[in-house]
Amino acid sequence: MTVAVNKEAATVGTQAVLVQANFPASQAQGTAQGLVDKVGTNLVSLNPVQGMNNQMVPMMMVLSSFVGAMIMGMNLQQSTMGIGPSVSRWSKFGARVLINVTSAFVIALVGSAMTVLLGAQTAGGFIALWLFQSLFLMTFMFFSQMFLIVFGMAGMLFNIIMLSVQLVSSGAMVPRELLGGFYHTLSEYLPATYAVRGA
């Protein structure tokens, strides 16, 4: 419907311009029709995605995973500070690593199951989705906790900034090819870019 209306509007507009340029009306109509028919569309989809829900999966996975990793990191940091000096730093760090790795696999299992059960497209099957989601969830956990370990609770400010920067630069909201050079280069060093590419 839209294509037909656009074609008719373009024909009438072109014909009006030709008549104003002193073309005879019959010749203007034929010429206008010929000009409009010269340009056609050929749409080739590189990564066909069926449905809006499947287009949103990469952004939702990045958003929920990074926000969850930030909240988990904040809770772990508060717990670590609450324990105090009675436990060594390396023991606290080892416990943090164990909690992160275990949580990443369990949370990714639930997230992948929900994604598949809700009918999302998966290119490599359930196991590949689960393992990939475990990997980027674990990466998000370590990345967000790095700021908390270095800066304490003030590291949450860096996490909020990193969340915003990653949503913009990862390709989840806008294709990376449309980003400026600064954001395109920055995205190469942030984990969300690779999560979006794989999801």
Side-chain angles (χ1 to χ4, degrees):
M1 177 77 174
T2 305
V3 173
V5 170
N6 276 342
K7 184 176 178 181
E8 184 64 30
T11 303
V12 169
T14 305
Q15 184 177 350
V17 169
L18 291 173
V19 167
Q20 285 178 351
N22 297 325
F23 268 74
S26 60
Q27 189 179 5
Q29 182 179 7
T31 304
Q33 187 67 38
L35 287 173
V36 170
D37 289 338
K38 292 239 183 241
V39 177
T41 59
N42 182 15
L43 183 63
V44 178
S45 182
L46 298 176
N47 299 305
V49 177
Q50 304 298 321
M52 180 68 165
N53 59 328
N54 290 315
Q55 291 178 348
M56 298 300 292
V57 167
M59 185 179 80
M60 289 299 142
M61 281 188 159
V62 166
L63 184 61
S64 61
S65 298
F66 196 78
V67 169
M70 284 172 42
I71 293 170
M72 182 178 164
M74 182 178 68
N75 289 331
L76 282 173
Q77 185 66 21
Q78 288 174 334
S79 299
T80 301
M81 289 169 25
I83 292 173
S86 61
V87 178
S88 74
R89 287 184 180 190
W90 286 109
S91 295
K92 291 178 191 176
F93 183 73
R96 187 183 291 240
V97 169
L98 182 64
I99 290 169
N100 285 344
V101 171
T102 305
S103 298
F105 280 104
V106 172
I107 294 167
L109 179 64
V110 173
S112 298
M114 287 177 60
T115 302
V116 170
L117 289 174
L118 291 172
Q121 283 179 262
T122 56
F126 177 77
I127 299 294
L129 178 64
W130 173 44
L131 293 175
F132 181 71
Q133 190 174 0
S134 299
L135 178 66
F136 76 75
L137 189 54
M138 197 179 326
T139 305
F140 285 169
M141 289 176 183
F142 287 119
F143 182 71
S144 65
Q145 289 176 32
M146 171 187 70
F147 295 111
L148 291 165
I149 291 170
V150 173
F151 299 110
M153 291 307 288
M156 285 303 289
L157 177 63
F158 292 101
N159 281 331
I160 292 169
I161 292 168
M162 284 296 109
L163 173 64
S164 301
V165 169
Q166 288 187 99
L167 279 176
V168 170
S169 66
S170 66
M173 293 172 49
V174 176
R176 291 182 65 240
E177 293 77 17
L178 299 178
L179 296 174
F182 172 76
Y183 285 106
H184 198 276
T185 302
L186 181 62
S187 70
E188 296 290 330
Y189 300 99
L190 298 174
T193 303
Y194 302 99
V196 169
R197 283 184 189 170

